[in-house]
């Protein structure tokens, strides 16, 4: 049936409406398809634009990474150079000072008049002050350069304080001060040498700034931490100065008994602050004018104490030898001409029989195929031809018929050298060497530690 055969108007209207609807739907579909086409073209353009932007950003990131790598390489080379410089400075700067201190000791023994003796003693005190200042400046440089890195372990507190008090008690007694200890038998998680240096600075600082009374070193448990406290009866610190005292070159007036020691640079507490920061400890101060001060170092408490170790022999803790070194055979391994000359004069004054070697080969020749066996070896760490004192000692120990005591006297106080000395069973003595301590330690070792 065709449309011409339909004579019902209502039906025709319905058919017409259906056809119109179909046409409109077709038009809408075409319009939607065209709209989608336009949208696709627009999105393609946006994607291309974003891709170009991302490519450009990635190229810039790559360029930045290349520059960062270059700057990192420059920084690492600079740090290596700084490390090498500090190692060389530690040795080359302190070597002449070591020779001077050894020479001044020999010069002291030759003086006859009281005036000459007093003048030599003044020079010796000046050298001691110069030594302390140089060591302090080098320590600050090492800490700032990141050369000195902590080696964390469980460290018992009492042995550290026993060693420090042996060093510092004479200073306190000279001023008429009491030096007391009240500590718990605890361990802290720290680096032993760095903590010892920080406490040494705090205790010596307390002695310097105290006129009368004394200094108390104690410990206090605070949860999982241990607070090591240095309490003095000194002059106290004004409240507005209590933060500044940890800055470089900040220095208060010394106590009356230390007026002759006014050459300090005010670096002791600056080193304490750096050491404590490197150790992840905390340092604080509480003080009242006219009443004294309390310095605290707070560290994590170590729950497990370390294995028992043989306590170190501190040269300053060894009592003065009652005997002498006359006739004793001493092998000296040293390559600095000034130090060699000074050591020869010192050992000659002590009546020793000695030989000097500048390298491993010289040391072996000095033994004369074991016809000459030393009673003691005193070795520097850096010798001629790049040989090391620890390596030379290790080689000598393998051929000597008996165990010969040795002292590694060196300006290199790095952890590696200290550990090597401990492993070899020899005493590490930092330069500049004090002749009295060297003589006491030499006699102590030759006599079998008695």
């Amino acid at each position: 049936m065709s449309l011409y055969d339909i004579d019902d108007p209502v039906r025709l209207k319905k058919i017409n409406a259906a056809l119109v609807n179909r046409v409109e739907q077709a038009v809408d579909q075409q319009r939607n398809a065209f709209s989608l086409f336009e949208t696709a073209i627009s999105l393609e353009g946006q994607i291309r634009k974003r891709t170009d932007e991302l490519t450009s950003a990635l190229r810039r990131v790559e360029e930045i990474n290349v520059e960062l790598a270059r700057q990192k390489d420059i920084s690492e080379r600079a740090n290596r150079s700084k490390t090498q410089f500090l190692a060389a400075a530690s040795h080359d700067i302190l070597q002449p000072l070591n020779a001077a201190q050894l020479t001044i000791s020999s010069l002291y023994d030759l003086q006859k008049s009281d005036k000459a003796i007093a003048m030599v003693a003044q020079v010796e005190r000046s050298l001691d002050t110069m030594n302390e200042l140089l060591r302090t400046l080098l320590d600050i440089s090492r800490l700032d350069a990141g050369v000195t890195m902590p080696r964390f372990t469980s460290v018992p507190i009492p042995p550290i304080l026993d060693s420090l008090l042996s060093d510092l008690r004479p200073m306190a007694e000279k001023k008429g001060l009491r030096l007391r200890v009240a500590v718990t038998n605890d361990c802290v998680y720290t680096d032993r040498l760095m903590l010892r240096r920080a406490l040494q600075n705090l205790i010596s600082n307390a002695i310097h700034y105290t006129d009368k009374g004394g200094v108390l070193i104690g410990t206090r448990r605070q949860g999982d931490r241990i607070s090591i406290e240095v309490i003095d009866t000194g002059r106290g610190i004004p409240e507005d100065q209590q933060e500044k005292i940890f800055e470089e070159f900040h220095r208060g007036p010394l106590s009356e008994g230390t007026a002759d020691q006014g050459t300090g640079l005010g670096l002791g507490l600056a080193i304490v602050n750096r050491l404590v920061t490197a150790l992840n400890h905390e340092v604080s101060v509480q003080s009242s004018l006219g009443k004294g001060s309390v310095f605290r170092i707070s560290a994590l408490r170590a729950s497990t104490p370390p294995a028992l170790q043989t306590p170190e022999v501190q040269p300053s803790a060894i009592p003065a030898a009652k005997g002498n070194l006359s006739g004793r055979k001493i092998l000296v391994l040293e390559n600095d001409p000034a130090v060699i000359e000074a050591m020869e004069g010192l050992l000659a004054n002590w009546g020793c029989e000695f030989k000097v070697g500048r390298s491993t080969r010289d040391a072996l020749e000095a033994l004369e195929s074991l016809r000459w066996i030393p009673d003691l070896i005193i070795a520097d760490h850096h010798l001629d031809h790049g040989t090391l004192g620890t390596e030379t000692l290790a080689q000598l120990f393998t051929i000597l018929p008996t165990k010969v005591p040795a002292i590694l006297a060196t300006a290199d106080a790095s952890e590696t050298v200290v550990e090597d000395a401990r492993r070899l069973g020899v005493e590490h003595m930092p330069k500049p060497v004090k002749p009295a301590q060297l003589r006491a330690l030499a006699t102590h070792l030759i006599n079998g530690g008695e």
Side-chain angles (χ1 to χ4, degrees), residues 132-142 249 265 267:
E132 185 61 28
L133 295 183
L134 284 174
R135 284 193 175 279
T136 299
L137 291 172
L138 288 171
D139 284 344
I140 286 181
S141 298
R142 291 191 191 97
F249 309 111
L265 291 178
L267 294 171

Side-chain angles (χ1 to χ4, degrees), residues 234-255:
R235 301 178 178 183
I237 306 166
E239 186 174 354
D240 60 347
Q241 299 292 312
Q242 292 181 13
E243 291 186 4
K244 296 180 179 179
I245 58 175
F246 292 101
E247 299 175 358
E248 294 89 345
F249 309 111
H250 186 89
R251 189 167 171 270
L254 290 174
S255 61

Side-chain angles (χ1 to χ4, degrees), residues 285-299:
V285 59
Q286 181 180 348
S287 184
S288 299
L289 282 176
K291 296 183 179 179
S293 305
V294 181
F295 284 85
R296 298 182 178 90
I297 293 180
S298 177

Side-chain angles (χ1 to χ4, degrees), residues 69 160 202 279 378 408 439:
I160 293 181
L202 287 182
L279 291 169
I378 302 175
L408 187 66
R439 183 171 186 172

Side-chain angles (χ1 to χ4, degrees), residues 17 50 54 58 124 132 135 151 293 300 303 392 411 430 449:
R50 296 293 185 270
L54 181 59
L58 289 174
E124 190 171 18
E132 185 61 28
R135 284 193 175 279
R151 293 187 176 185
S293 305
L300 280 175
S303 57
T392 303

